[in-house]
Structure formats: C-alpha cells, structure tokens
Amino acid sequence: MRVVWFGGGLGNQMFQYGLYCFLKKNNQEVKADCTQYSTTPMNNGFELERLFNLDIAHANLDVISKLTGGNRLSPRKVIWKLFRKPKVYFEEKIPFSFDPDVLKGNNRYLKGYWQNMNYLEPCAKELRDVFTFPAFSSDNNKRLADEIAKVEAVGVHFRRGDFLKSSNLGLFGGICSDQYYLRAIQTMENTVVEPVFYVFCDDPQWAKNSFSDARFTVIDWNIGSNSYRDMQLMSLCKHNIIANSTFSWWAAWLNRNPNRTVIAPERMVNRDLDFSGIFPNDWIRLQG
C-alpha cells in the first residue's frame, strides 16, 4: 500500500492528487493522509472533496502510525527511525523532479508536492475530468463567465499575501516582478488579437489601485472559502499569465482552449533547480 501525504493549499493538493492517480494507474493500492488539516490550520483546509467529485480512500490513524512511527516522542518512534524508516518513509528528494522510485517497495508513506508533468501526463484526461468545478451560484461569477466566453480573455494572476511575508520572501519574492508582468502583457498584445485582461489577486485592493486602465478588469469578490472560483474563472479564460503559484498553474493547465497562449515565469522558487518538468512544452517562460 502507498499512503500519500496531503498538505498545503488547493494547488498543492491537486498536484498530490496527481501522484495519487499516477500510483493507481500503476496498479498500486493508494490511500491519503489528510490528518495535517485536522491538526494545523492551513488555508481553506482540505478542499478536494468539497469542490470535486473525487473518490479518495483515506488511511486510518493506525496505518499512518505504522508508516510514520507515530508520536515523535514515543520509544516506538526511535525504533522506527533506526530500523523501519528507510524502508517505508519516502520523502521527495528534489522538488519539481520526477522520481520513478515512488513505485518501488511495498508499504510506503510518500511525502512531498510532486510537481512534475511526468506524474500528471498518464492521468491527464482523468484529472481534467475530475477537476470540474461546481456550477457558478453567484450572479457576479455567472455574468463574468458569460463575458469571458465572448472575448479573447486573458487571465492574469498576481500572488501576494503569504509571498510577501518576511519568512517567504527569500524563497518566492522577486520572481514575478513588475518587469515580468509588463513583458507578459506585451507578449500577449503581440500574440492575441484584441486581448481583454482580467486580473485575479489575493490582494484585490492593491490590484484595483494598480490597474485603472479600462483594458483591465479586477476580480475582487471571490474571497475566503470561495477563492477557488478565481481558479475556475481563470481556467475559462482563453489565455493565461500565471504567477509562480500552483493556484494559477492549475488554472492554465485546466484551460481547454486548444489555441491558448500561456505565459509563465522561468522559475517557481528562488533555488538552483531544474523547473522544466513542471511546465508544459508549449508554455512561454519569461524572466522576471
């Protein structure tokens, strides 16, 4: 049996579910460990089952304890670390890379984010089908979805919020700079006939202050537990400019326009890593 750890916000959960599907595709028995959300407040909690019609098997606490050694202070944990951990506990070694070793061994606990196309591609059709959002209920979103369908809509995503915290700036800051967005918008204007830009941001007041040009419509009403509606609306746009964020990455990947243009940053975090595995080959990557 494989147990996949789930943690982080919606975009991360979707990548982890991608691994879950990849393992099932390779005839593995797979269960999910979502206990992180009951012990640690995290964004909007575990959203996958609330938003999508997913059949996720959850590992019980006894199984999780056997694969993780249980309480970190227990004598059992010491024995587990010495003798069992190398056999059953598998943590992602290199972010954004593909590791075929996830398929090796018998009972294993898999912890990581698994942000690589090689996990997703074998399950691409299934993932696009199951990641179908609930129908819009608010008049604002219904109106905007109708408007987006009639124009060459470009969804532009800005991630601020937690990325601006001092503890996160070193890892996430400076990647999607003003220069990145200026070049991305210029590229869209040179590529798309009469583009109409829709701005999505977790700091909508900043966005409204920054984009007063009539070409840009700022979406400011999907907040809190409804923030996933921004991902849904961005996925309906014909083209996307994404941030170094899995939230807008998934919006672009779920975009079904066969002629879409997607612009992404060159890297997702400020580390010396190979990011080619997370970006589809037809996406345009620009420096910040």
Side-chain angles (χ1 to χ4, degrees):
M1 179 196 298
R2 300 287 192 280
V3 174
V4 176
W5 171 84
F6 281 80
L10 178 58
N12 286 330
Q13 293 169 33
M14 292 167 79
F15 272 110
Q16 288 154 349
Y17 185 75
L19 177 70
Y20 181 97
C21 291
F22 174 79
L23 295 170
K24 288 183 69 175
K25 197 78 149 179
N26 283 274
N27 301 312
Q28 305 288 332
E29 181 185 0
V30 191
K31 293 192 175 181
D33 174 12
C34 302
T35 57
Q36 180 84 6
Y37 296 95
S38 61
T39 59
T40 306
M42 195 176 295
N43 300 296
N44 293 314
F46 186 63
E47 297 189 82
L48 293 186
E49 290 173 321
R50 178 172 70 89
L51 303 183
F52 308 117
N53 185 26
L54 301 181
D55 182 18
I56 299 177
H58 291 260
N60 61 43
L61 291 176
D62 184 55
V63 168
I64 294 169
S65 181
K66 286 179 181 177
L67 295 177
T68 61
N71 189 300
R72 65 186 179 85
L73 300 177
S74 69
R76 176 182 175 181
K77 187 77 170 186
V78 176
I79 296 171
W80 175 83
K81 283 185 174 180
L82 290 173
F83 300 105
R84 292 280 294 154
K85 183 176 181 179
K87 297 179 182 179
V88 300
Y89 191 89
F90 188 91
E91 191 159 2
E92 186 176 28
K93 300 180 186 75
I94 304 174
F96 308 103
S97 68
F98 173 71
D99 192 339
D101 286 350
V102 296
L103 296 172
K104 293 182 179 179
N106 295 316
N107 294 329
R108 303 197 84 174
Y109 185 91
L110 301 163
K111 185 172 184 179
Y113 294 100
W114 320 106
Q115 297 167 0
N116 188 284
M117 293 296 297
N118 286 319
Y119 299 118
L120 305 182
E121 285 174 346
C123 317
K125 183 182 184 306
E126 176 187 348
L127 290 172
R128 286 194 168 94
D129 288 343
V130 298
F131 289 154
T132 299
F133 294 94
F136 291 118
S137 55
S138 80
D139 290 340
N140 276 340
N141 285 329
K142 290 178 183 177
R143 173 191 55 76
L144 188 62
D146 288 342
E147 183 179 315
I148 282 172
K150 297 172 183 175
V151 298
E152 286 295 318
V154 180
V156 186
H157 184 232
F158 290 81
R159 176 76 174 266
R160 289 171 61 81
D162 57 335
F163 276 21
L164 299 183
K165 292 180 179 178
S166 57
S167 57
N168 288 330
L169 269 176
L171 188 62
F172 299 110
I175 294 173
C176 291
S177 63
D178 292 348
Q179 187 65 25
Y180 164 75
Y181 284 105
L182 288 171
R183 294 174 67 189
I185 291 167
Q186 184 65 57
T187 300
M188 282 293 181
E189 290 178 328
N190 292 338
T191 305
V192 177
V193 177
E194 297 184 356
V196 180
F197 297 94
Y198 295 88
V199 176
F200 300 84
C201 182
D202 54 0
D203 184 353
Q205 189 56 54
W206 171 87
K208 285 192 286 187
N209 293 340
S210 302
F211 292 93
S212 56
D213 190 311
R215 294 178 303 157
F216 297 90
T217 299
V218 176
I219 315 309
D220 63 356
W221 54 81
N222 293 315
I223 60 176
S225 62
N226 288 320
S227 59
Y228 73 91
R229 294 295 192 184
D230 277 1
M231 183 190 289
Q232 183 176 7
L233 288 164
M234 284 191 285
S235 74
L236 296 177
C237 291
K238 294 182 177 65
H239 314 281
N240 299 93
I241 296 172
I242 73 169
N244 56 319
S245 164
T246 57
F247 188 85
S248 50
W249 187 100
W250 277 103
W253 194 80
L254 293 173
N255 180 341
R256 291 179 179 267
N257 176 20
N259 299 312
R260 70 182 183 274
T261 296
V262 177
I263 297 177
E266 278 204 325
R267 62 190 188 278
M268 295 292 280
V269 296
N270 289 311
R271 289 183 60 187
D272 186 17
L273 295 166
D274 179 3
F275 297 99
S276 61
I278 191 175
F279 296 113
N281 292 332
D282 59 344
W283 290 14
I284 300 168
R285 295 167 61 188
L286 297 179
Q287 287 185 339

